[in-house]
Amino acid sequence: MPRPYPVRRRVVARRRTAVALIAAGSMTLTSLLVGVSSGPAFASSHREAPLISNDPAADNTDVYAFVSPDKPDTVTLIANWAPFSEPNGGPNFYPWATDAHYDINIDNNGDAKADLTYRWDFRTEDRRGNNTFLYNDGPVTSLDDPNLLFRQSYTLTLFDRPNGRTTVLVNNGRVAPSNVGPASIPNYGVLRNQAITAVPGGGQSYVGQADDPFFLDLRVFDLLYGGNLSEVGQDTVAGFNVNTIALQVPKSALTLANHPVRNPVIGVWSDTERYSITLRSPGSQNSLGAEVQVSRLGHPLVNEVVVPAGLKDRFNSLLPEQDRTIPALVNKVTHPEVPTLIQRIYGVPAPATPRNDLVEIFLTGITTKSGDQLNVDLNSQLNNADVNPAQFAPSEQLRLNTSIPPTAQPNRLGVLGGDLQGFPNGRRLADDALDISVQTLEGAAVTGLVPALARVDSVDQNDKPFGNVFPYIALPNNKAVNSPR
């Protein structure tokens, strides 16, 4: 039975990205520009900390939050897990962990605590037994197809903290399987549509596989794109898949006092919790004990490049309310490392520190009520009419002003490109998080775009187009990443 509210201990931290204040300045860009890598690619928050890199099923890679373009009275929240899922990764492919909680959290009053937690818990039905090693033993044309031998389902629970309520929203949601290949799954779109489940109150939930929507060139680790921006233009995560949770709900379900007009701003982050003890015996294992947060994600590219190596695992265990209590993390927002690297390699002068603009963008939300560094009210919970300023706490969250309608012609640079519906006001799938983050770290929110870094990695869009209706993400790939494309 799920706890009425997750008890997230500060114990083991394996995970991820929510970068607490760390995120602020060095956060996104850092992930890219820091030439100190620890392994294969680090996209957004893929394999960003030592412990979580060994636990891909719990590794939360990206969070997106945006007003739904085709249903502007709703908000869509998307969170991804299992980075670098190579399409040909059989025979077991990429199941959701059944001994973990997958959460999307909402803070609508600015106290850095989750007012709402949407939690997905998974179950597995494995029909293979001792008969076969195959994931499916024939073409799969529906989620009920007897050829589909490995199946998962989920329970979606809402923890409503202010009202002290726990509500099961979906009791037996169906999961779209991994995309085994064109012979096994001739039309994945059919399966995805069948996996979209109605949520009481006018919402819908999708759980399944998708093309990784993050896009960037990871050759940043070769002296920041070769030291002269000659090594750019290759989408390093093209062809890989992720496990996706997408939730669409009315704005009123997420906003303070259910009033999106008076209180339009929400803060969003996701996390993964595991049980703290795993008992292994030959051929089996059992998980028990306290629930421990092992992954956390708000803004992209925070834990990878902002958080120092010695704090990466701990950061994944932190709650947003703890962010401001870790001076070493806060310092990485006010004194980010990426601008000094860019100055050293490319000669672009680093902005003067301390970076109060980054504090506002990543820790408080953009508002004149916390100081007028950016001189505009955009996406801080302090702008909500019913928020008590005395309870407000700076923390790393992805903040969204739900009152800003969808843009007819979105700009990939979001707010920096004059499109107030884009990142860092929430995050849409097509927002160029890398370029925005680099420009932000270089002070573009104050001084305007830096021409010398106009294209950064020269990867400006995803390799596959996004959809126009929920869940918006592209269908998962079924062709090997290392094959000719």
Side-chain angles (χ1 to χ4, degrees):
M1 186 76 182
R3 299 173 186 246
Y5 241 69
V7 180
R8 293 169 189 149
R9 310 286 176 89
R10 304 182 190 179
V11 199
V12 174
R14 302 183 204 177
R15 257 248 70 200
R16 115 91 30 333
T17 209
V19 134
L21 30 152
I22 170 194
S26 5
M27 105 178 230
T28 16
L29 197 195
T30 303
S31 167
L32 274 127
L33 295 184
V34 156
V36 199
S37 144
S38 117
F42 284 134
S44 194
S45 270
H46 303 48
R47 293 175 49 84
E48 81 288 345
L51 285 175
I52 200 61
S53 66
N54 294 322
D55 190 3
D59 189 353
N60 191 189
T61 66
D62 287 281
V63 172
Y64 301 85
F66 51 91
V67 175
S68 308
D70 58 325
K71 294 184 177 180
D73 59 337
T74 69
V75 168
T76 295
L77 308 171
I78 296 175
N80 298 329
W81 281 264
F84 302 112
S85 295
E86 212 283 341
N88 291 354
N92 293 303
F93 295 95
Y94 306 100
W96 297 86
T98 57
D99 57 351
H101 302 308
Y102 296 86
D103 298 339
I104 295 179
N105 305 286
I106 307 295
D107 170 18
N108 53 36
N109 65 5
D111 63 357
K113 299 177 182 179
D115 297 297
L116 305 172
T117 294
Y118 292 90
R119 168 170 289 180
W120 287 258
D121 290 300
F122 292 90
R123 301 176 296 277
T124 295
E125 178 188 0
D126 192 341
R127 300 182 174 190
R128 295 174 295 183
N130 295 328
N131 298 319
T132 182
F133 62 84
L134 293 171
Y135 191 84
N136 57 287
D137 59 2
V140 176
T141 58
S142 77
L143 295 182
D144 296 319
D145 197 313
N147 290 332
L148 182 59
L149 302 180
F150 186 92
R151 308 178 182 202
Q152 290 197 293
S153 59
Y154 64 88
T155 298
L156 170 57
T157 306
L158 171 62
F159 300 98
D160 183 344
R161 181 180 178 186
N163 296 306
R165 291 197 296 256
T166 300
T167 306
V168 175
L169 300 176
V170 176
N171 201 23
N172 193 30
R174 298 191 294 176
V175 177
S178 294
N179 194 353
V180 177
S184 292
I185 301 181
N187 190 336
Y188 195 91
V190 170
L191 305 187
R192 182 168 78 173
N193 289 339
Q194 293 176 355
I196 295 175
T197 301
V199 174
Q204 48 189 339
S205 167
Y206 168 74
V207 180
Q209 205 175 39
D211 168 72
D212 191 336
F214 197 69
F215 51 93
L216 82 169
D217 192 320
L218 284 166
R219 287 177 290 180
V220 61
F221 299 114
D222 184 15
L223 291 180
L224 304 189
Y225 299 116
N228 59 2
L229 293 180
S230 62
E231 297 177 356
V232 295
Q234 173 183 302
D235 184 356
T236 314
V237 296
F240 288 102
N241 296 325
V242 288
N243 284 347
T244 290
I245 286 174
L247 176 69
Q248 186 177 80
V249 292
K251 294 178 182 178
S252 58
L254 303 178
T255 50
L256 179 62
N258 305 116
H259 206 308
V261 176
R262 287 180 56 82
N263 306 301
V265 178
I266 60 173
V268 181
W269 71 96
S270 58
D271 70 77
T272 317
E273 294 185 6
R274 280 198 179 277
Y275 295 101
S276 57
I277 300 173
T278 299
L279 300 179
R280 291 184 173 87
S281 58
S284 66
Q285 68 178 42
N286 184 35
S287 298
L288 64 156
E291 296 154 346
V292 176
Q293 180 178 291
V294 298
S295 174
R296 170 192 168 194
L297 180 61
H299 286 86
L301 304 173
V302 169
N303 203 348
E304 292 90 331
V305 298
V306 178
V307 181
L311 290 176
K312 286 183 179 296
D313 288 328
R314 185 181 179 190
F315 176 78
N316 274 333
S317 72
L318 291 175
L319 302 176
E321 64 195 82
Q322 297 172 311
D323 290 349
R324 66 189 187 280
T325 69
I326 314 296
L329 294 181
V330 177
N331 183 62
K332 289 298 184 180
V333 174
T334 57
H335 297 78
E337 182 179 4
V338 169
T340 63
L341 293 173
I342 292 177
Q343 176 173 306
R344 189 176 72 203
I345 295 176
Y346 289 104
V348 179
T353 56
R355 296 291 303 281
N356 294 326
D357 59 322
L358 297 182
V359 170
E360 192 169 340
I361 290 170
F362 297 112
L363 301 184
T364 67
I366 300 172
T367 176
T368 60
K369 297 176 177 62
S370 63
D372 57 357
Q373 177 74 28
L374 299 178
N375 197 31
V376 65
D377 288 325
L378 179 60
N379 66 343
S380 174
Q381 292 102 324
L382 284 169
N383 297 331
N384 289 340
D386 298 326
V387 161
N388 180 356
Q391 296 179 344
F392 183 82
S395 63
E396 198 280 319
Q397 304 176 27
L398 183 64
R399 292 175 172 86
L400 172 67
N401 185 333
T402 65
S403 70
I404 299 177
T407 308
Q409 294 183 328
N411 189 305
R412 69 178 181 88
L413 295 180
V415 173
L416 296 183
D419 182 355
L420 296 183
Q421 217 239 345
F423 181 63
N425 179 34
R427 182 183 176 191
R428 299 167 301 193
L429 292 169
D431 286 339
D432 195 336
L434 173 63
D435 283 15
I436 296 171
S437 298
V438 171
Q439 289 282 350
T440 297
L441 290 172
E442 288 299 300
V446 177
T447 62
L449 294 173
V450 180
L453 299 172
R455 297 300 298 272
V456 190
D457 64 345
S458 293
V459 178
D460 298 340
Q461 62 185 15
N462 193 43
D463 61 309
K464 298 180 69 174
F466 299 118
N468 297 317
V469 298
F470 183 85
Y472 306 106
I473 45 174
L475 294 173
N477 300 283
N478 61 11
K479 184 177 182 180
V481 172
N482 62 356
S483 64
R485 300 188 66 80

